Amino acid sequence: MRLRTNEIDTIKGTIHALLPDVTIKLFGSRVDDEQKGGDVDLLIISEQPVERPAWTKAQIEARLTRAFHGRKVDIVLDAPNLVHGTIHQIARTEGILIS
């Protein structure tokens, strides 16, 4: 996993401030230690419906992008009230649990 401990702590703190009871997985290029660069792809899994999911996703992405000095952050929300696509299955299967 190509994230430092302080970056993981920032991710967890930022997400849990808005969505306290969720699971967070890192997926995409950052899980491969052999690659370089790349954005940060995160799957956020909630067992409860997420109110205002687009707004919540935008807030998390903006806060983390600022914290990571402009590095792009992509959020995929997984909750019972949201439509699930192929990306959800890929992220659940290939993702690394960080919280």
Side-chain angles (χ1 to χ4, degrees):
M1 174 182 356
R2 291 182 301 114
L3 288 176
R4 294 185 293 266
T5 303
N6 65 323
E7 292 171 322
I8 293 170
D9 291 342
T10 298
I11 289 168
K12 292 191 297 190
T14 299
I15 292 171
H16 288 300
L18 294 169
L19 299 168
D21 297 318
V22 297
T23 301
I24 306 166
K25 285 189 164 191
L26 175 72
F27 69 100
S29 64
R30 290 260 164 195
V31 300
D32 185 349
D33 292 334
E34 300 301 315
Q35 292 191 28
K36 297 195 185 293
D39 58 358
V40 177
D41 299 306
L42 298 168
L43 173 67
I44 301 172
I45 304 167
S46 175
E47 298 301 323
Q48 304 300 318
V50 174
E51 292 185 36
R52 300 175 26 171
W55 177 251
T56 301
K57 178 181 179 235
Q59 282 189 306
I60 293 168
E61 287 175 348
R63 290 178 186 188
L64 289 175
T65 297
R66 279 194 305 273
F68 295 154
H69 308 288
R71 183 182 307 144
K72 187 167 178 0
V73 177
D74 290 323
I75 301 295
V76 175
L77 287 176
D78 185 345
N81 62 317
L82 304 176
V83 175
H84 296 99
T86 304
I87 191 67
H88 291 86
Q89 183 61 37
I90 292 168
R92 275 185 176 263
T93 303
E94 298 177 7
I96 295 175
L97 184 66
I98 61 172
S99 175

